[in-house]
Amino acid sequence: MLDGSPFAELAFSEIVMQHMADIGMTFEPNGCHYQGKIGNANFRLSGYAISDDCDQLDLFVSLYDGVDTLSPIADAETKTVADQCLRFLLLCAEGRMASRLDPTSEARSLAETIQSIYNGLDQVRVFVLTDKVAKAKNFKPRLIGKKSVHLEVMDIERLYRHMSEGKPRDELVVDFTQISGSALPCVFVPGQADYDYALAAVPGEALRYLYERYGARLLEANVRSFLSVKGKGVNAGIQKTLREAPDRFMAYNNGIVLVADEARLSNALDGSPGIAWLKGMQIVNGGQTTASLYFAKKKYPDTDLAQVRVPAKIIIMKIQDAAKEEALVSDISRFANSQNAVRQSDLSANKPFHVDIERLSLTVYCPDGVGRWFYERAAGSYMTMLAREGTTPARLRALKDTVPPARKLTKTDLAKYVLAWDGRPDVVSLGAQKCFDRFMASMPSPEEGGVAPVLDSTAYKAMVAKAILYKAVQKLVRPMFQAFQGNVASYTVALVSKLVGEQFKLDRVWIRQGLSPELLAQIAIWAKEVHEELQRTASGRMISEWSKKPDCSEAVLKAPYSKVMEGIPELA
């Protein structure tokens, strides 16, 4: 549990926002902590996320108390905090906020950005993040600057359910009797080893509604990043069919592939077998089709989706083991997408590289001979391990002593740590999913004649040492600056590698399982200088956006920095 300090609230906000991005609830988030008062009105903001096309905006505001027991929070309190964020949004939209803010602050840059893009936004959402338990998770949309703003609450109960089960898609409960008026007619084939199977035709309006409600959360994470609803080719053809021949859509379209955790059967209107309800529904193939239905209707309101039917192959999972389930879903996604330009390396949970790291994490112990690190190859596998093996309070405590949460590594974490050390802080700043995609794409592929990296205990220890370094820099940087902590951390790690990488003893970091006070003192000096260089080279641009540019990486890493102090053990 984080303590109740201001830095704890910042850390809580960052953890929750990044989690939401990882599962597709939002875009790559940026911390932007602002709290102020104008007249009698209070304003508050913790972060934001903007889509790549600048047509969707999410704002986050935290309500953090640092409680260590489940504590309820009144809806009135969450609404009050949401209102403080909505006031900020309203003044930004009206162009009355930026001039009231410090010109060097991230909040000022954000206010100017919101002012410039607001009229073109298709979706605006405000999320209240709290470590308490909220009764209502959604509130009635509010009209701000002629746009409907959706309000949601991500409380500790919802966050725990996501992280403990490893399947935030469990929130995606689709009731076709409500959406379409009856169960979805299907051909149902039960009794396969790991799954049940159904063939159906999903109404186009139902898919459009589901995408409007859930967005990218509806799409399986491995294929989410390949969508380009504004592109040409496939999407242009889909939209043309919807506009000119909606009744032929099912004949022309390849259809979609769905996976779900549970299904409830009933009878359709004609008495035939049907699917009334799906829980944990995910689209693993056909994301472009689904998104195109939504955007075609949005762009051309007269598009008639009543005649549209989309062929669907539905797979209901029966596997209880999280790792095995993720591997099967990955395989389904891989084969379903084989006709598209989806790289094999991107469907990576069960790639040999990650399997090898997981194997090493189970066999390589820390220098004390007791503790070890945990590589979470499958989402939620850490919590699954605790639940499976921690059958008594004593065993659970022992497990957490051996593998504490601070020693958990995810696939996206690893990509971030390695690429920062390799001098690519601009790629790290792109966000977890894009960073991971670049990391996997840069890895030699045996299928294409490349030589796979050799993974032994030495290489594994070096990777963990880079993780220890990055996490230590993050912890050091967080209280030093009000904003841009993530950008400063990734650029500082890259600078350490550039300036002293050849003489840096990663094995000493592994042995110590931490950094020496001397190295931390040196890093604090460089972090301050990195922050100044990011400010200087940004020339008024949003640092969170500027840091994603290769030009930023080149400019910041080439700048002059303080000389290395003597007596640093890691450099001896």
Side-chain angles (χ1 to χ4, degrees), residues 60 64 86 111 117 143 196 416 425 443 467 478 497 509 516 565:
F60 305 91
Y64 179 79
L86 289 168
I117 69 173
L143 194 64
D196 291 328
K416 178 170 63 176
M443 193 173 294
R478 186 169 288 116
S497 177
V509 175
S516 66
M565 297 186 297

Side-chain angles (χ1 to χ4, degrees), residues 511-543:
I511 292 171
R512 178 189 281 268
Q513 289 291 297
L515 306 187
S516 66
E518 294 86 353
L519 178 58
L520 288 171
Q522 177 66 75
I523 289 174
I525 294 172
W526 284 338
K528 183 179 179 181
E529 294 171 343
V530 163
H531 182 262
E532 293 170 353
E533 284 300 316
L534 284 170
Q535 294 273 10
R536 183 184 67 80
T537 57
S539 301
R541 288 169 286 193
M542 291 181 71
I543 287 181

